[in-house]
Amino acid sequence: MDYQWYPGHMTKARRMMQENIGLVDLVIELADARIPLSSRNPDIDSLCGNKARILLMTKADMADPARTALFQKYFEDKGFMVIAMDARTRKANEKIKAYVEKACAAKRERDKRRGIVGRPLRAMVVGIPNVGKSTFINSFAGKASAKTGNKPGVTRGKQWIRLNKNLELLDTPGILWPKFEDRQVGVNLALTGAIRQELLEEQELSLELLNFLQREYPSLLTGRYAPEGETWELPMDNAQLLTKIALARNLLKAGGEADYQRASKLVLDDFRNGKTGRISLEMPPQGGDESERK
Ligand code: G4P
């Protein structure tokens, strides 16, 4: 993914968001279920003001279900309507539509009092790059949807996707940028593939991942990499573990030594493709403080 976080980019994205937010009744925010804290930009709260909001935790199919359940409760306790989902499928569509109505009930009431009936609700999808915005829009809108086209003066050239008579979706999602408050946020975003990993060397990143997996998911590690009949005593030194993985997978250099580069790539690819197992890198913070990212 070629997206870089230059200040100019961020300012432009922010301006577009501000412009578009005025046009919608509802914001559908996406966060990656494996890193719900690192993949949310806290500025969204001020950007959204008092717009109705729904939080979708995408890529839940790759996340640890127990942790996803904890996060769902954590965000619900903060007053969000939350749905954990695989954005590639349409399974959550009905639930999302029901939540949209619920989230906008007050708006509907206001409209009714003013004698406005039958006006569809308008929603915008927002999230950081790669979180699944276009995937979600495609499966939520589906083939049945029709673009409503431009309505001069009202939409200022915006394209709306009509989902049904009650709901329209802005076809361009709002891009938020991740917030690098600390190094761990950058590591989490690079591990899940949300940002380019040149920021962190592949090998350094794979050692970070091994360190985390040894601590939090040791059985998934041995299950995937320890050869049949071999017992690996974890935790061990991360570099030593990477060597063991390289040897177990026959990733060797010409002289027969472990090829760290290929082993690092394997470990990262396996994690990103969900082959290592269903893994979440974060846990809800104790005491409700989002700054306590893992
Ligand atoms: P964006 O518009 O927010 O930038 O994200 P986009 O929809 O392009 O999704 C990024 C990648 O994430 C896509 O993979 C997409 O298939 C995948 N994805 C989105 N939502 C989900 C989900 O809920 N579960 C899973 N398992 N994958 C999801 P891709 O096209 O293969 O791109 P890449 O992985 O090669 O970057």
Side-chain angles (χ1 to χ4, degrees):
M1 172 198 95
D2 21 322
Y3 215 97
Q4 295 209 340
W5 304 106
Y6 297 124
H9 238 127
M10 296 182 191
T11 314
K12 196 169 160 224
R14 195 187 167 90
R15 204 171 44 234
M16 271 187 65
M17 279 270 305
Q18 273 164 338
E19 211 181 283
N20 289 335
I21 231 137
L23 305 172
V24 301
D25 306 305
L26 169 86
V27 174
I28 301 177
E29 184 195 353
L30 271 51
D32 186 325
R34 297 165 301 170
I35 49 165
L37 304 178
S38 298
S39 63
R40 288 188 73 224
N41 183 317
D43 290 350
I44 188 161
D45 292 334
S46 61
L47 276 167
C48 285
N50 53 6
K51 295 280 175 193
R53 249 157 89 191
I54 294 177
L55 178 65
L56 302 182
M57 289 167 61
T58 56
K59 311 199 185 187
D61 53 298
M62 293 202 277
D64 177 340
R67 292 190 179 198
T68 301
L70 290 175
F71 265 116
Q72 182 148 359
K73 178 162 186 325
Y74 167 76
F75 287 120
E76 281 170 357
D77 286 349
K78 283 178 171 278
F80 283 98
M81 290 188 189
V82 187
I83 298 176
M85 65 188 301
D86 175 348
R88 297 167 308 169
T89 75
R90 302 171 60 97
K91 280 190 205 144
N93 283 6
E94 289 314 309
K95 193 167 177 188
I96 297 168
K97 282 177 195 161
Y99 274 29
V100 166
E101 284 302 323
K102 215 165 138 189
C104 296
K107 160 83 186 157
R108 285 260 193 245
E109 264 313 301
R110 271 200 311 278
D111 277 0
K112 213 161 120 190
R113 279 200 302 273
R114 292 176 188 153
I116 306 168
V117 274
R119 192 180 76 77
L121 294 169
R122 295 195 145 172
M124 179 168 76
V125 175
V126 308
I128 65 166
N130 241 16
V131 73
K133 295 180 293 302
S134 10
T135 306
F136 166 67
I137 291 175
N138 282 340
S139 34
F140 192 52
K143 287 198 189 87
S145 63
K147 293 213 173 170
T148 58
N150 298 344
K151 289 179 194 155
V154 183
T155 59
R156 282 180 279 155
K158 303 276 182 252
Q159 291 276 335
W160 297 88
I161 306 168
R162 173 158 292 194
L163 296 176
N164 52 43
K165 66 177 179 17
N166 298 323
L167 183 62
E168 290 180 0
L169 206 63
L170 185 62
D171 80 337
T172 23
I175 298 172
L176 287 171
W177 52 97
K179 200 151 191 160
F180 300 94
E181 278 162 348
D182 57 43
R183 185 178 172 279
Q184 193 58 47
V185 173
V187 169
N188 289 343
L189 291 164
L191 282 174
T192 54
I195 55 167
R196 288 156 73 93
Q197 71 189 24
E198 276 95 48
L199 288 176
L200 283 152
E201 291 286 333
E202 205 163 54
Q203 225 174 89
E204 189 190 335
L205 204 56
S206 71
L207 292 178
E208 290 272 352
L209 180 60
L210 290 180
N211 188 49
F212 171 81
L213 293 176
Q214 292 209 70
R215 205 173 62 224
E216 314 258 344
Y217 295 93
S219 58
L220 292 183
L221 258 183
T222 47
R224 176 115 192 117
Y225 299 112
E228 279 285 320
E230 210 175 280
T231 316
W232 287 2
E233 293 292 340
L234 301 183
M236 66 174 79
D237 176 69
N238 296 311
Q240 189 191 349
L241 178 58
L242 190 61
T243 312
K244 273 176 121 36
I245 292 172
L247 297 179
R249 290 303 177 91
N250 215 18
L251 300 171
L252 307 173
K253 289 205 266 204
E257 346 151 11
D259 187 334
Y260 290 115
Q261 206 168 344
R262 276 157 70 210
S264 296
K265 190 168 167 12
L266 173 79
V267 167
L268 291 174
D269 285 349
D270 280 355
F271 167 71
R272 288 183 187 138
N273 299 328
K275 286 187 186 160
T276 319
R278 295 182 64 172
I279 293 164
S280 297
L281 298 177
E282 292 179 325
M283 282 281 267
Q286 305 284 316
D289 179 0
E290 281 199 30
S291 63
E292 285 175 35
R293 285 168 165 139
K294 284 199 85 154

